[in-house]
Amino acid sequence: MPVPTVASLCATLGHHLVPAAGFEAPATEVTAVHISELLEPGAYLSGGELLLTTGLALPADDAGCTAYVERVRAAGVSALALGLGPVHRTAPASLVHACRALGVPLLVVPAATPFLVVSRAYWTARSRTTERRLHDVVTAHRSLVEAATAPDPATAVLGRLARWLDGWAVLLDADGEVALAQPDVAADELQVLAAEVARLEIAGVHSSASFVVGERVVVVFPLAVGSQVVGFLAAGGRRQMDAVQRQVVHTAVALLSLDAVRRRQVASATAATRRCVALLLDLGLVDAARRLAAVSECPPPAREVAVLVVRGRDTEVLLEVVERWCPGGLGVLEDRTSAWFFLPAGHGPVADLRRRLDAVDPSAVLVLSDLVAVEGAGVVRARLVQEAQALEPGASVDLRRDAARTVAAAVDRFVAEAGAEQAAALVAFLRHRGHWGAAADALGLHRNTLRYRVDRAVEVLGLDLDDPDVAAETWLALRDRGLTR
């Protein structure tokens, strides 16, 4: 039940409180009911009150009434109610004229109705509102706590918070990137939100902040684990949040912070297992490494792996960069400046990794081997670590086999295994430099059909055509075999 308004009080009280002739009861919230016969009641008002008076001291002249109503309006009352009977049988014309001219709603209380009836009706409504609000808040807190026990706590908490606020709730990671949103949030709003959170991070603000995103008033709270900020919760609604709503959001912040702690513990345990698998491979204990991977969430080691060594100012940061670049890699921090990895054959382009490293540490050194038998990966790793120590800051060394030879072998395999439709799709895709529309038109195909055929072709080819160097070498190899005519 909302806070009582002038209109709702009139509706509740019926003939005991009605608008004067020519006036309407507004939907203005009433903060209190106050009785005063003073000509200057403003000192005892804080704004939003329904002011009751019998007009005992009301001036008889127009100028005096106008001055009185001006003071009442300046005090910010929601409405002025005149009690009929003791002084006035009807509302004086001068008061009616002044209220109409100055925009102050004028109500009348009939002679048989004590002011206590109006006061009691108001406070009864406020009591019901408070009870209802308390019930809603308790329900909201309980709902959030229940959501925190769901299989996906973050999504469940965000969803229930958004419904309670009649808005949206967004979880961002420590870098200010959007991780989850409930319900779906417009892309332009997410962009503004991410930019605002990034600005807060630059300013070093780790307390709550509020701003406007589109038509939403948004409040952002940091999620902290100890002294470290691990993410942000943004909640958006149509109005500025009141104290009660903020309390509910604080509960969501606490629950999401606990979930972050839990996820970090799980991630830490998983990372430890992956390091153990990598160390077993480094020692040549391949069977033991595969058994450990089989009973954990670690990817099983392939028969061939690439060895990557990185050096830099802070290898914990570089480790996160490499793991985002190649989630299937197995990494080990050797010390604070050196780390090494065993990577699957399908790792990303080296140029992309170099750009990522430069963004956090331009002095980082990178050495990448060709694919080697997993049984000998430890020996290769030891040699590359020594090579990396001798390199200048910012150096990159790619020891993979000559690209042309690798591509040539892949194209020969493709020619032998792929069908005519796949070959034509691949040639058109490369000829038009990845522009799906032009390639599809050239073959007279629908874009989705072309995408399907190209995907199948790339699977057979086994090359990373997102790498422009590989794509160029593939085109030349296809041309040498007469397939580009």
Side-chain angles (χ1 to χ4, degrees):
M1 181 177 179
V3 175
T5 65
V6 177
S8 68
L9 278 176
C10 288
T12 299
L13 288 164
H15 70 279
H16 294 296
L17 181 67
V18 296
F23 290 86
E24 293 182 357
T28 307
E29 293 184 353
V30 178
T31 60
V33 173
H34 185 75
I35 303 172
S36 176
E37 301 297 343
L38 298 176
L39 286 178
E40 296 185 7
Y44 303 95
L45 301 173
S46 58
E49 293 88 353
L50 172 61
L51 181 60
L52 303 177
T53 181
T54 62
L56 181 64
L58 188 67
D61 60 304
D62 291 346
C65 276
T66 298
Y68 170 73
V69 175
E70 284 179 343
R71 289 190 288 270
V72 168
R73 184 182 65 172
V77 301
S78 58
L80 175 64
L82 178 66
L84 303 179
V87 181
H88 302 280
R89 292 180 179 275
T90 61
S94 56
L95 179 63
V96 172
H97 176 74
C99 286
R100 184 177 293 114
L102 295 172
V104 176
L106 179 62
L107 312 177
V108 294
V109 180
T113 300
F115 283 171
L116 181 61
V117 172
V118 178
S119 297
R120 183 181 292 126
Y122 171 75
W123 290 112
T124 299
R126 281 300 298 261
S127 176
R128 290 173 180 168
T129 298
T130 302
E131 291 176 1
R132 178 61 180 172
R133 187 66 165 168
L134 179 60
H135 177 270
D136 289 346
V137 170
V138 171
T139 301
H141 283 287
R142 183 182 296 117
S143 176
L144 290 177
V145 172
E146 290 176 353
T149 64
D152 184 359
T155 300
V157 169
L158 290 179
R160 297 194 184 186
L161 178 62
R163 287 193 295 273
W164 191 77
L165 294 174
D166 191 24
W168 49 248
V170 177
L171 180 65
L172 302 99
D173 61 22
D175 296 325
E177 297 294 329
V178 175
L180 288 171
Q182 289 290 327
D184 291 337
V185 182
D188 56 343
E189 291 185 321
L190 290 178
Q191 290 176 355
V192 174
L193 175 61
E196 289 290 342
V197 171
R199 182 174 61 83
L200 295 176
E201 288 188 278
I202 293 172
V205 178
H206 289 164
S207 57
S208 63
S210 59
F211 43 83
V212 176
V213 176
E215 297 180 355
R216 304 280 184 181
V217 178
V218 178
V219 178
V220 175
F221 296 86
L223 306 180
V225 175
S227 60
Q228 184 179 6
V229 174
V230 297
F232 299 88
L233 170 62
R238 298 292 181 184
R239 295 182 177 181
Q240 190 76 28
M241 285 188 192
D242 58 26
V244 174
Q245 289 175 317
R246 280 178 171 266
Q247 289 176 0
V248 174
V249 176
H250 276 299
T251 297
V253 168
L255 294 172
L256 291 171
S257 296
L258 290 174
D259 182 57
V261 171
R262 181 190 61 78
R263 284 186 284 107
R264 283 197 159 205
Q265 291 173 340
V266 173
S268 178
T270 302
T273 302
R274 293 166 71 96
R275 286 194 297 272
C276 289
V277 172
L279 290 171
L280 289 172
L281 292 177
D282 190 60
L283 293 171
L285 303 175
V286 179
D287 288 341
R290 286 179 173 150
R291 290 178 184 176
L292 179 57
V295 297
S296 65
E297 297 182 359
C298 183
R303 287 181 294 180
E304 291 185 321
V305 296
V307 181
L308 171 68
V309 175
V310 294
R311 290 181 56 82
R313 293 192 297 263
D314 187 346
T315 45
E316 288 190 4
V317 174
L318 300 183
L319 178 70
E320 293 179 0
V321 171
V322 175
E323 288 179 343
R324 285 196 294 268
W325 170 71
C326 181
L330 301 172
V332 173
L333 290 177
E334 199 163 73
D335 52 45
R336 290 191 61 83
T337 62
S338 180
W340 53 265
F341 304 81
F342 294 144
L343 307 177
H347 62 73
V350 180
D352 180 34
L353 175 59
R354 182 70 256 179
R355 286 192 297 270
R356 292 171 182 244
L357 293 175
D358 287 343
V360 298
D361 183 3
S363 68
V365 169
L366 177 159
V367 181
L368 178 65
S369 80
D370 193 6
L371 289 176
V372 298
V374 68
E375 289 80 5
V379 175
V380 176
R381 190 274 310 163
R383 175 171 56 82
L384 294 190
V385 167
Q386 291 183 343
E387 291 186 15
Q389 292 173 345
L391 295 174
E392 295 293 326
S396 295
V397 176
D398 187 350
L399 301 175
R400 291 177 299 173
R401 289 190 300 268
D402 178 75
R405 291 174 54 194
T406 302
V407 170
V411 170
D412 285 339
R413 184 177 64 253
F414 176 78
V415 171
E417 298 179 9
E421 290 182 345
Q422 292 177 343
L426 180 63
V427 169
F429 174 76
L430 293 173
R431 173 177 284 121
H432 294 280
R433 301 179 182 179
H435 293 289
W436 294 102
D441 291 343
L443 293 177
L445 298 175
H446 190 277
R447 288 189 184 190
N448 291 342
T449 302
L450 177 63
R451 286 179 183 274
Y452 175 80
R453 292 181 181 179
V454 170
D455 287 344
R456 300 290 76 75
V458 171
E459 286 182 6
V460 176
L461 190 64
L463 297 175
D464 179 14
L465 296 184
D466 290 333
D467 187 326
D469 293 334
V470 174
E473 292 291 346
T474 301
W475 172 260
L476 294 174
L478 290 169
R479 187 188 64 181
D480 291 344
R481 288 156 182 77
L483 297 178
T484 61
R485 298 174 184 174

